[in-house]
Amino acid sequence: MFFKKKKNEEFNYHVLDKDNIPQHIAFIMDGNGRWAKKRKMPRTYGHHEGTKTIRDVALHCNKLGVKAMTVYAFSTENFARPEQEVQYIFKLPKDFFELYMKELIENNVKICTIGHLEMAPKETQDIINSAIDNTKNNTGLKLCFAFIYGGRDEILEATKKLAMKVKAGELGVNEINETVFNDELMTKDLPEVDLMIRTSGEQRLSNFLLWQLAYAEFIFTDVLWPDFNENELDKAIWMYQNRDRRFGGLK
Ligand code: FPP
């Protein structure tokens, strides 16, 4: 993968190290509204264009050998947005899977979700569940939609499940460790998150994967999500590969 040197950028031509591709990349897809506003279009247009980016980035991740990517599609806090925008976002999975399902299947992509899909309208649930079902035997990239998801909520849910097991006498308090806790999380079937990318210049986690991001590398880019693309992803992975990951130890 080659990058052209642009003025004031710290990298020249670089080849991605195929042996150091992040296993799981988490994306906070921010900036759809601002992207649309710049074009004097409604915010929803930005979300619509943002779904194309999901397709492009997913296929590129798959090609690079990334095992999983999780996209923050709707947070538990996003219900505070205007009703019309919320309704629009709930309709996006239909458009997305109608347009790209065939291609995702051909590329062996497996769809999954984390969050409270049961709180979405029935039609949205059906569309997403059928995408999960249609791709359940695929072995390529896991494309995980965080939908009606909140990190604190997930941690509380896991804690309650463990408390119930302790109460039922199935688990001792001293048996609770990171592995046991991890197995109660919605992400239990996904690999460790190595890299988190947030677009649009905002630098916060917004209640996303709070437990899972403990040792992830963070990359914040000013690029707005609809403009994020394969080159931007390569650049982010190159930056990741040039980070010194110590996991709390020394090198
Ligand atoms: C933030 O942009 C982005 C979102 C709230 C996510 C929108 C969701 C999608 C594109 C994915 C939909 C789901 C599927 C299954 C295809 P923003 O509105 O906060 O941007 P702003 O900060 O510029 O206002």
Side-chain angles (χ1 to χ4, degrees), residues 29-34 43 47 51 54 73 81 92-93 96 145:
M29 315 182 283
D30 204 2
N32 293 345
R34 274 165 283 167
R43 296 176 49 78
H47 295 317
T51 60
I54 300 177
R81 293 189 175 212
L92 283 175
F96 181 83
F145 289 90

Side-chain angles (χ1 to χ4, degrees), residues 212-224:
Q212 296 84 345
L213 293 178
Y215 283 104
E217 293 295 324
F218 291 180
I219 289 180
F220 298 100
T221 165
D222 287 340
V223 174
L224 305 175

Side-chain angles (χ1 to χ4, degrees), residues 76-165:
T76 44
E77 289 74 26
N78 284 154
F79 278 113
R81 293 189 175 212
E83 175 67 12
Q84 186 233 4
E85 184 171 339
V86 171
Q87 293 310 323
Y88 186 85
I89 294 176
F90 283 149
K91 289 201 170 76
L92 283 175
K94 183 168 186 283
D95 299 350
F96 181 83
F97 290 119
E98 271 176 13
L99 278 172
Y100 306 127
M101 179 50 99
K102 189 167 169 280
E103 198 178 18
L104 293 171
I105 291 177
E106 281 164 7
N107 283 278
N108 201 19
V109 172
K110 184 181 171 92
I111 303 297
C112 57
T113 59
I114 55 172
H116 292 282
L117 190 56
E118 76 283 359
M119 287 168 69
K122 172 85 170 56
E123 201 201 0
T124 312
Q125 291 184 39
D126 291 348
I127 300 273
I128 295 181
N129 283 329
S130 108
I132 293 172
D133 199 49
N134 287 334
T135 59
K136 66 173 186 286
N137 296 321
N138 289 357
T139 53
L141 174 85
K142 287 184 180 170
L143 170 55
C144 178
F145 289 90
F147 211 71
I148 316 185
Y149 171 86
R152 287 184 175 178
D153 166 77
E154 182 189 29
I155 290 171
L156 284 175
E157 294 269 316
T159 308
K160 284 184 203 166
K161 285 187 201 149
L162 289 172
M164 298 294 277
K165 285 188 180 172

